[in-house]
Amino acid sequence: MRYIYLIILGLFFSVINMEANNSASISLVPCPTNVVPGTGSFQFTPKTVFAVETEEQAAIVRLLSDQFTCAAGFTPKLKVDSKKGNLVLQTDKTIKSEAYCLEITPKKITVRAADAKGFFYALQSIRQLLPPAIESAVKVDGTEWIVPAMTITDEPRFGYRGLMVDVARFFVPKENLLRIIDCMGMLKLNTLHLHLVDDNGWRIEIKKYPLLTEIGASRVERPGKLFPERRNQRQGEPTVEKGFYTQDDIREIVAYAAARRIEVIPEIEMPAHTNSSLAAYPELACPVVDRFVGVLPGIGGKNSEIVYCAGNDSVFSFLEDVIDEVSELFPSKYIHLGGDEASKVNWAKCPKCRARMEAEHIEHTEELQSYFMTRMSNYVRSKGKEVMGWDELTNSTLPEGAIIYGWQGFGKAALKAAAQGHRFIMTPARSLYFIRYQGPQWFEPLTYFGNNTLKDVYTYEPVQEEWNPVYEDLLMGVQASMWTEFCNSPDDVEYQLFPRLLALSDIAWAKKGTK
Ligand code: ACM
Ligand code: ZN
């Protein structure tokens, strides 16, 4: 009997507790650094005036006022170079970059930040505090457009808060990618890493090499077959175009992302995962390759061992030309050169690769990859950009300054780079690969590699106790990686992304221990 009383008492207190939390709790993802609830609420009406100091701020505010136009059926007025309004933006250089202070009272909303990023994030908080109907593309009647009074001071934990989207395996149409970018902005993520190239498709127009998309963006259809079951293309078998971004598309994507304070990092894979470009230009493979090279519809078996020849100078001039166009298209200071899972079987047999090793005094084919990556890295650096790569780059001498993405062994592979003073980003397959199942495997659509549940993502903590303290300074941040081998529609990609992307945003932004 006593136990029953205890249980009832326990339930009673937990209800009280929930209520207390509910009134105080503010639904914001990622969790802000500090929130002090106020009294009452601010209501947006057709009379509301947004006052901003600059055109740059006006562009940020317009993203929110456009939402009012669609969902509320009215557009708040916007005054540029003005301090008088109901929602006022004020530059405050004492605040850190990306951070903001948001004060909401029933009369006025004041936003303070040092830069556009801070203002953008403050407005995303307002966006989340509004009724969900603010996301509607059509007018919603009967909604009070209110946000509760409060004061938020907020700043991110990590400077790099990323999502990688593999648009090579499944080509994500531009409109769907823009939607993902908008969601990223709402969640205060600031980096989109585009995996543009793989064995299964080349997805970016390169003017100098039209066959990259004429051939490399198409592949054979294997209806009803899942990725691992799809047989390779036979010579002469017809292919179907699966899509690519034109250079105008890329400019539009980059601009759309920039408006949401998101940097787009292009990844041009090398020396492996390159069957799509080798299908277009087979002379770039080692001359010992005697089989037909097509764009792979699936895993590819032995064909996935076919990589660029490291002994052929034309390979480097080809890649330099590609990098020239890519660097023009993406203003990001980074270019990701891939470098993962490169088979060396053909290099070991290839007379050109062997001649290169001899000339460069290289003993092992693993070091030949270092030669390859370093040569391309030097080219990228000569263009004023920094190089990024997967953690396989730590298997041989690292290119100078290369930033490493840790994906293997809970991301530990990247610590080999950190031990040599290199910056790194954590995207461990075991926690942050969104290709994995997010629920029971008997229930979820078929995919690869075990589970990464919402809780697995949410409880991931990149900084480990046993780390040398300098590693924490070299850690730029975290990234979820959305590999799309099992996606066959844009909906499949969204299904895998959500709700886990919210958990990612919290681990990327919220202070340790405050999620
Ligand atoms: C990778 O998952 N191969 C980077
Ligand atoms: Zn070769």
Side-chain angles (χ1 to χ4, degrees):
M1 199 60 187
R2 268 178 61 199
Y3 288 117
I4 289 185
Y5 282 129
L6 278 178
I7 288 167
I8 291 172
L9 213 64
L11 280 173
F12 177 70
F13 277 113
S14 60
V15 167
I16 293 209
N17 215 358
M18 259 167 51
E19 294 213 322
N21 279 343
N22 274 350
S23 60
S25 89
I26 311 287
S27 292
L28 279 171
V29 178
C31 183
T33 312
N34 190 45
V35 181
V36 180
T39 315
S41 54
F42 175 92
Q43 182 158 13
F44 291 85
T45 71
K47 291 197 180 125
T48 302
V49 175
F50 293 171
V52 301
E53 299 162 323
T54 61
E55 271 306 326
E56 188 183 44
Q57 291 176 7
I60 292 166
V61 161
R62 268 188 212 106
L63 294 173
L64 184 65
S65 68
D66 285 351
Q67 289 195 277
F68 277 102
T69 310
C70 295
F74 63 81
T75 308
K77 288 181 194 54
L78 174 59
K79 286 200 214 155
V80 184
D81 200 11
S82 168
K83 291 184 165 51
K84 282 211 176 118
N86 314 97
L87 185 153
V88 180
L89 271 58
Q90 289 173 357
T91 299
D92 181 343
K93 290 291 181 193
T94 66
I95 295 174
K96 286 187 206 160
S97 175
E98 295 203 297
Y100 65 92
C101 177
L102 172 61
E103 193 188 345
I104 304 172
T105 69
K107 288 221 168 84
K108 189 174 175 184
I109 298 181
T110 310
V111 182
R112 288 186 296 115
D115 56 15
K117 294 175 190 176
F119 287 118
F120 176 76
Y121 295 136
L123 290 193
Q124 298 311 300
S125 292
I126 296 172
R127 177 182 179 183
Q128 282 193 22
L129 290 168
L130 278 159
I134 194 67
E135 299 303 319
S136 175
V138 292
K139 186 165 178 265
V140 182
D141 290 320
T143 302
E144 281 197 316
W145 303 101
I146 56 173
V147 288
M150 69 185 75
T151 302
I152 299 178
T153 43
D154 201 9
E155 67 180 57
R157 176 177 180 193
F158 293 115
Y160 184 109
R161 305 181 298 279
L163 170 66
M164 185 212 75
V165 182
D166 167 11
V167 296
R169 270 58 173 267
F170 173 72
F171 175 69
V172 180
K174 183 184 70 187
E175 286 67 27
N176 302 92
L177 191 63
L178 298 183
R179 180 170 151 79
I180 292 169
I181 290 170
D182 190 48
C183 293
M184 289 175 67
M186 190 195 215
L187 296 170
K188 305 185 174 92
L189 298 172
N190 67 357
T191 310
L192 173 65
H193 161 186
L194 275 186
H195 184 77
L196 289 161
V197 170
D198 213 297
D199 288 329
N200 316 93
W202 183 284
R203 306 295 177 200
I204 176 170
E205 177 188 25
I206 300 294
K207 301 268 190 205
K208 190 156 184 185
Y209 299 97
L211 297 185
L212 283 173
T213 42
E214 274 172 38
I215 293 176
S218 302
R219 65 185 185 217
V220 286
E221 297 261 57
R222 297 285 181 248
K225 295 285 185 208
L226 293 163
F227 191 79
E229 301 163 351
R230 295 179 195 153
R231 260 186 313 105
N232 289 353
Q233 181 186 7
R234 288 182 300 270
Q235 193 153 11
E237 219 184 334
T239 58
V240 177
E241 211 225 85
K242 296 288 178 185
F244 64 91
Y245 304 119
T246 64
Q247 296 204 345
D248 280 343
D249 288 339
I250 293 286
R251 280 186 274 269
E252 185 182 338
I253 291 164
V254 165
Y256 189 89
R260 288 152 184 81
R261 307 299 138 185
I262 292 168
E263 179 168 344
V264 187
I265 299 177
E267 179 185 353
I268 303 297
E269 268 269 29
M270 60 191 74
H273 289 279
T274 48
N275 274 230
S276 56
S277 50
L278 294 173
Y281 299 99
E283 64 276 16
L284 301 179
C286 292
V288 290
V289 173
D290 52 7
R291 57 174 66 212
F292 169 71
V293 183
V295 179
L296 300 180
I299 289 179
K302 286 245 171 266
N303 286 48
S304 66
E305 295 173 352
I306 303 172
V307 306
Y308 292 131
C309 178
N312 180 352
D313 282 333
S314 310
V315 166
F316 294 96
S317 41
F318 161 78
L319 287 171
E320 287 170 12
D321 292 340
V322 170
I323 294 294
D324 285 347
E325 292 192 32
V326 167
S327 340
E328 282 294 311
L329 287 167
F330 293 87
S332 171
K333 56 188 169 297
Y334 305 114
I335 295 190
H336 195 304
L337 298 181
D340 58 319
E341 300 178 315
S343 166
K344 278 70 185 189
V345 294
N346 288 310
W347 284 2
K349 292 184 282 191
C350 169
K352 286 188 175 174
C353 287
R354 300 220 60 91
R356 174 83 70 202
M357 288 169 71
E358 203 159 304
E360 299 290 333
H361 312 292
I362 295 169
E363 276 195 30
H364 300 290
T365 49
E366 202 58 55
E367 273 302 319
L368 187 55
Q369 178 162 354
S370 173
Y371 167 85
F372 196 112
M373 304 309 296
T374 302
R375 184 162 165 180
M376 285 313 302
S377 171
N378 290 343
Y379 188 73
V380 168
R381 285 157 63 92
S382 77
K383 301 187 79 73
K385 306 246 183 190
E386 295 194 64
V387 165
M388 306 177 122
W390 297 109
D391 64 37
E392 281 89 339
L393 266 58
T394 63
N395 294 340
S396 53
T397 309
L398 277 164
E400 202 182 327
I403 296 163
I404 298 301
Y405 287 68
W407 70 279
Q408 304 182 85
F410 291 90
K412 281 207 179 80
L415 299 183
K416 281 202 272 173
Q420 298 170 57
H422 287 249
R423 286 165 294 162
F424 65 109
I425 289 149
M426 281 300 202
T427 182
R430 181 60 191 81
S431 307
L432 302 183
Y433 269 24
F434 287 2
I435 186 175
R436 288 177 165 231
Y437 290 93
Q438 54 190 318
Q441 297 192 10
W442 54 264
F443 174 80
E444 292 291 323
L446 187 112
T447 183
Y448 264 168
F449 305 137
N451 281 73
N452 274 339
T453 62
L454 182 63
K455 187 173 176 186
D456 290 331
V457 179
Y458 194 70
T459 52
Y460 172 65
E461 168 49 50
V463 179
Q464 300 295 309
E465 270 174 23
E466 70 271 16
W467 277 18
N468 179 330
V470 300
Y471 295 174
E472 195 167 347
D473 296 333
L474 295 167
L475 175 65
M476 292 168 66
V478 289
Q479 169 170 296
S481 292
M482 180 65 245
W483 299 103
T484 56
E485 283 94 329
F486 288 86
C487 295
N488 296 301
S489 73
D491 280 356
D492 291 350
V493 180
E494 281 194 11
Y495 182 82
Q496 294 298 110
L497 283 178
F498 297 101
R500 291 183 289 190
L501 198 64
L502 281 75
L504 185 271
S505 112
D506 227 22
I507 61 175
W509 181 282
K511 287 271 164 297
K512 197 173 177 178
T514 64
K515 286 182 293 193

